[in-house]
Amino acid sequence: MALMHEPTAPYHSAQDALRVLESVARHTTGVTEVQLSRHTGLGPERLTTLLRMLRREGYVEQIAEGAYVTGDALVRLGSAHDREEALHDKLQRTLDRLRDSVGAAVYISRYVDGEVKVTQYAAGPATPAVNEWVDFRYSAHATAVGKSLLGQLDHNGRRDHLSRHKLARLTSRTITSDKLLLSRLESQPPSVPHLDLQEYAIGTVCAAVPITAGSSVGCLALSLPIEHAHRLRRAADTLNRNAAPVLLSLTI
């Protein structure tokens, strides 16, 4: 299965952050911001923004005289014996913070072995999760998550998925035409969030943005009750701007 990878803003941020982390890791006794700028080629403003994010995520720590060293979160993710647990915990903390920031339930989804899979999510009393009344594996055509994941496949990958999953009508807004769905997926710019405006379930709207790491297809998504639909696009933009830490965790 070929992928349609087009770099997004979170991808570029994650790549820049990796360059910073590699430079910090090479300087075990600490490296200053001026030195990091010289080693990475990143401008002071860009570097300051990345370092703020990396400190918040626990990937770097600041020591005496403003120098930076590797943080505990990076050490844990680099440890083979508990990497899976460390990654799950790290992503959950990031999702919890995103949930509170955007005021919506948030989800990480992956396309695994030809199927849509929600791997983690953060919800709460004020930010309820979507009621999975139809298995997400069989409703990719109707969900923001599914459309974001399918949008990252090539044409043959999309056709293969649709050949295995009939486009069932879940609401009056659901797209049930293969031709129409494929046309919309192909015309969607990678930087624009995929939306679900009551296509999966009446009373719920959703948005999803890609977080593709290497050959793995993934997305970050949010859901809102219909009474908060007016917040969807702004929340989706916030989600997209804050997707880099999730992508970075998956890449390290």
Side-chain angles (χ1 to χ4, degrees):
M1 175 184 66
L3 309 180
M4 300 288 286
H5 284 183
E6 292 187 49
T8 57
Y11 174 86
H12 288 303
S13 292
Q15 291 302 302
D16 287 347
L18 281 174
R19 287 161 61 192
V20 175
L21 288 178
E22 288 167 357
S23 185
V24 172
R26 285 197 300 268
H27 297 81
T28 55
T29 59
V31 57
T32 67
E33 202 160 331
V34 171
Q35 290 172 317
L36 283 171
S37 182
R38 186 168 63 248
H39 295 321
T40 62
L42 296 169
E45 186 175 347
R46 174 66 167 163
L47 181 59
T48 297
T49 299
L50 290 170
L51 285 170
R52 188 181 302 120
M53 182 267 284
L54 292 171
R55 286 181 67 187
R56 186 184 67 235
E57 297 295 324
Y59 290 132
V60 300
E61 295 175 5
Q62 202 166 18
I63 57 173
E65 300 180 0
Y68 291 90
V69 295
T70 299
D72 290 341
L74 187 61
V75 173
R76 279 202 71 197
L77 284 179
S79 174
H81 74 277
D82 68 346
R83 173 177 163 73
E84 188 173 338
E85 180 183 350
L87 178 59
H88 183 277
D89 292 347
K90 185 73 189 69
L91 288 173
Q92 194 61 50
R93 287 193 296 273
T94 303
L95 288 178
D96 290 345
R97 188 167 57 248
L98 270 175
R99 173 200 59 204
D100 297 339
S101 175
V102 301
V106 292
Y107 314 78
I108 295 176
S109 299
R110 311 293 291 275
Y111 196 69
V112 182
D113 297 329
E115 302 294 350
V116 171
K117 183 178 181 181
V118 174
T119 55
Q120 276 180 257
Y121 71 95
T127 53
V130 174
N131 174 32
E132 190 178 353
W133 75 284
V134 175
D135 194 316
F136 290 141
R137 291 176 298 174
Y138 309 129
S139 54
H141 63 294
T143 64
V145 160
K147 287 185 282 186
S148 180
L149 296 175
L150 292 178
Q152 295 174 64
L153 307 181
D154 65 4
H155 183 77
N156 290 335
R158 296 167 188 161
R159 293 292 317 180
D160 172 72
H161 185 93
L162 298 182
S163 72
R164 293 182 285 108
H165 299 295
K166 179 179 172 58
L167 273 60
R169 184 176 298 282
L170 306 183
T171 77
S172 62
R173 295 173 177 267
T174 307
I175 296 174
T176 56
S177 161
D178 286 22
K179 184 177 180 181
L180 178 57
L181 179 63
L182 288 170
S183 174
R184 291 193 177 179
L185 290 175
E186 287 165 5
S187 63
Q188 176 93 355
S191 59
V192 177
H194 283 272
L195 303 180
D196 159 17
L197 305 176
Q198 300 190 93
E199 297 167 53
Y200 174 75
I202 296 298
T204 301
V205 293
C206 306
V209 297
I211 49 167
T212 302
S215 61
S216 176
V217 170
C219 73
L220 189 60
L222 64 85
S223 65
L224 288 166
I226 188 62
E227 56 265 31
H228 294 288
H230 61 283
R231 295 201 294 113
L232 182 63
R233 291 187 185 276
R234 181 176 295 179
D237 289 340
T238 301
L239 190 75
N240 196 32
R241 286 196 306 271
N242 290 277
V246 177
L247 183 52
L248 182 60
S249 296
L250 294 170
T251 306
I252 292 174

